[in-house]
C-alpha cells in the first residue's frame, strides 16, 4: 500500500484571544495520496493558511499526529522540509535580482554545486518559459511571470510535495490557465500538490479531491462531482423527437417537469452513473426513445454557499 503524501489525524490549533482561546483547527483529519492534487477550500478565516503553515513546519500544532512525505512532522521537521516545497500567496521573488539570480540563490540555499546550480537554473528557466527574461530584473516581470518564477524557485530542490497557497491570486485568466497547465505537468511527473485557492473554478479544474473547511472543521470531502451531487438542484434533461414520446415519458416519470415547446423533460437527479443508467433502462423498457440527454449538476459555488452559508470570496 502506498504511503500517503500527507496523513493528519486530529490536527488542532488555537490562539489566545479575549474571552478565551480562539480555535482555528478543531481536530481535522486529512489524507492526501501521492501524485494527486488535493484542494482545501473554505471562507476567509476558516483555517486554510494555518493548516498549510502547520503541515509545512512553519508553525507547530497544538495537538494531533501528522506524517508528511513519510516523516513524523513533530519528530523529524528537517526531513519534512527536505521533501517539500512551498509557494505562498505572496511571492518570494527578490525583485532586485534577475530571474536567473533568484534561481541561483535558491540553488545555493539547497547546497548545490555552482555547476549543478547553473544547470538546474537553466532547466527551470526554459521549462517555465523565462529563458529570454533570465537576465532581466524580476521587477520588470509581469505578474504571471513572477508567479512562474516563484514556482520555479520552489522546484530547485526537486520536492515531491508542493504546497500552493492561493498561487494564482491576482493573475489574469490567461496567466492563471498557464499556471494550471504547469500544475498538471508536475502531477503527471509524480509530484503531489496541496492547493488552497479562492477560485472555485481552479479547484474544479485541478483537484482530484476537495475538502471544505469551515470554522476549523472539515464539513465535506470528496471529488468535485461527489460534492456537487450532495446539493439539491441536479437534474437530467431529456429531449424527445415528438410530443407523443414526451407525454409517454411524463407518465412514466412522475417527477419530471416538461417543456412542450422544446420537447424536453427535466428530471430531478444527482446525475450519478447509476441514476442515469436506471432512468434510460426504464424508458427503454417502455419503448420510449430519447433523442438527446444532458446531465446538470450544481457547481462548486453552489456547494460552497450551501454548506458554509456564505458566498466564496473572490
Amino acid at each position: 500500500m502506498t504511503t500517503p503524501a500527507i496523513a493528519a489525524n486530529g490536527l488542532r490549533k488555537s490562539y489566545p484571544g479575549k474571552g478565551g482561546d480562539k480555535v482555528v483547527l478543531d481536530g481535522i483529519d486529512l489524507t492526501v495520496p501521492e501524485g494527486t492534487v488535493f484542494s482545501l477550500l473554505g471562507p476567509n478565516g476558516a483555517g486554510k493558511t494555518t493548516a498549510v503553515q502547520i503541515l509545512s513546519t512553519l508553525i507547530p500544532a497544538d495537538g494531533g499526529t501528522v506524517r508528511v512525505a513519510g516523516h513524523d512532522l513533530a519528530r523529524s521537521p528537517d526531513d519534512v522540509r527536505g521533501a517539500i516545497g512551498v509557494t505562498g500567496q505572496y511571492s518570494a521573488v527578490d525583485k532586485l535580482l534577475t530571474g536567473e539570480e533568484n534561481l541561483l540563490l535558491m540553488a545555493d540555499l539547497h547546497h548545490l554545486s555552482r555547476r549543478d546550480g547553473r544547470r538546474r537554473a537553466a532547466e527551470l528557466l526554459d521549462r517555465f518559459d523565462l529563458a529570454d527574461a533570465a537576465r532581466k530584473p524580476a521587477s520588470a516581470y509581469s505578474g504571471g511571470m513572477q508567479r512562474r518564477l516563484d514556482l520555479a524557485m520552489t522546484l530547485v530542490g526537486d520536492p515531491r510535495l508542493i504546497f500552493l497557497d492561493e498561487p494564482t491570486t491576482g493573475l489574469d485568466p490567461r496567466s492563471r490557465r498557464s499556471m494550471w497547465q504547469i500544475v498538471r505537468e508536475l502531477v503527471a511527473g509524480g509530484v503531489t500538490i496541496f492547493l488552497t485557492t479562492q477560485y472555485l473554478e481552479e479547484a474544479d479544474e485541478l483537484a482530484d479531491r476537495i475538502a471544505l473547511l469551515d470554522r476549523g472543521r472539515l464539513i465535506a470531502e470528496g471529488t468535485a462531482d461527489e460534492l456537487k451531487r450532495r446539493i439539491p438542484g441536479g437534474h437530467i434533461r431529456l429531449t424527445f423527437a415528438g410530443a407523443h414520446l414526451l407525454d409517454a415519458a411524463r407518465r412514466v416519470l412522475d417527477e419530471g417537469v416538461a417543456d412542450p415547446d422544446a420537447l424536453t423533460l427535466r428530471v430531478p437527479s444527482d446525475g450519478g452513473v447509476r441514476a442515469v443508467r436506471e432512468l434510460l433502462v426504464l424508458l427503454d423498457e417502455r419503448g420510449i426513445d430519447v433523442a438527446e440527454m444532458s446531465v446538470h449538476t450544481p457547481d462548486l459555488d453552489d456547494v460552497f454557499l450551501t454548506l458554509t452559508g456564505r458566498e466564496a470570496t473572490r
Side-chain angles (χ1 to χ4, degrees):
M1 189 175 186
T2 305
T3 302
I6 299 174
N9 298 103
L11 190 60
R12 297 183 59 83
K13 184 67 179 179
S14 60
Y15 294 102
K18 294 181 180 180
D21 290 349
K22 179 182 178 182
V23 177
V24 181
L25 296 176
D26 192 8
I28 68 172
D29 299 332
L30 290 172
T31 301
V32 180
E34 286 187 335
T36 65
V37 179
F38 184 94
S39 184
L40 186 64
L41 304 180
N44 286 341
K48 303 187 300 296
T49 297
T50 298
V52 170
Q53 290 175 332
I54 291 173
L55 295 172
S56 59
T57 77
L58 295 177
I59 61 174
D62 294 336
T65 60
V66 185
R67 296 189 70 83
V68 177
H71 306 290
D72 186 284
L73 185 66
R75 296 178 181 177
S76 307
D78 288 341
D79 291 331
V80 172
R81 294 185 191 109
I84 68 173
V86 182
T87 299
Q89 54 184 296
Y90 302 107
S91 174
V93 171
D94 188 328
K95 296 182 181 179
L96 298 178
L97 301 179
T98 67
E100 183 180 49
E101 288 169 342
N102 270 283
L103 290 169
L104 291 175
L105 176 60
M106 292 302 297
D108 287 342
L109 293 174
H110 282 282
H111 307 293
L112 298 183
S113 68
R114 182 177 296 274
R115 179 180 178 181
D116 287 344
R118 290 193 175 280
R119 177 182 54 79
R120 185 67 173 147
E123 289 174 353
L124 290 168
L125 287 166
D126 184 61
R127 179 177 182 181
F128 285 81
D129 197 22
L130 294 170
D132 290 343
R135 309 231 167 144
K136 294 180 181 179
S139 59
Y141 287 15
S142 67
M145 292 171 69
Q146 288 186 21
R147 293 307 280 169
R148 296 203 306 274
L149 177 59
D150 197 19
L151 184 51
M153 291 166 62
T154 300
L155 293 177
V156 168
D158 198 24
R160 305 310 295 164
L161 167 62
I162 299 176
F163 292 92
L164 295 183
D165 191 13
E166 301 187 13
T168 62
T169 297
L171 295 187
D172 60 76
R174 182 175 181 178
S175 297
R176 184 173 300 127
R177 290 186 178 277
S178 176
M179 285 291 290
W180 292 356
Q181 184 57 36
I182 291 170
V183 169
R184 292 187 184 103
E185 291 170 359
L186 289 171
V187 174
V191 175
T192 304
I193 302 292
F194 189 100
L195 172 71
T196 69
T197 179
Q198 294 186 19
Y199 300 104
L200 302 188
E201 180 191 6
E202 187 161 87
D204 205 352
E205 283 280 341
L206 296 176
D208 297 290
R209 291 190 68 78
I210 297 170
L212 187 55
L213 186 67
D214 190 29
R215 296 181 176 89
R217 291 177 176 269
L218 286 180
I219 59 174
E221 184 178 343
T223 66
D225 287 341
E226 287 170 348
L227 293 178
K228 292 171 188 177
R229 287 198 292 268
R230 294 180 56 171
I231 306 305
H235 65 276
I236 298 171
R237 187 171 183 266
L238 303 171
T239 303
F240 300 92
H244 65 290
L245 293 171
L246 172 61
D247 291 339
R250 290 176 65 182
R251 290 192 293 270
V252 173
L253 306 172
D254 295 334
E255 295 181 305
V257 177
D259 181 343
D261 293 331
L263 295 177
T264 61
L265 186 65
R266 175 172 165 166
V267 183
S269 172
D270 64 5
V273 173
R274 182 176 179 179
V276 172
R277 182 171 57 242
E278 289 177 350
L279 176 63
L280 293 178
V281 168
L282 178 61
L283 293 175
D284 186 59
E285 289 175 346
R286 301 296 195 282
I288 303 171
D289 292 328
V290 177
E292 294 180 17
M293 184 199 74
S294 57
V295 177
H296 300 262
T297 57
D299 59 22
L300 284 182
D301 287 282
D302 299 317
V303 173
F304 197 101
L305 179 60
T306 301
L307 295 182
T308 69
R310 288 171 275 181
E311 291 186 0
T313 305
R314 294 299 184 187

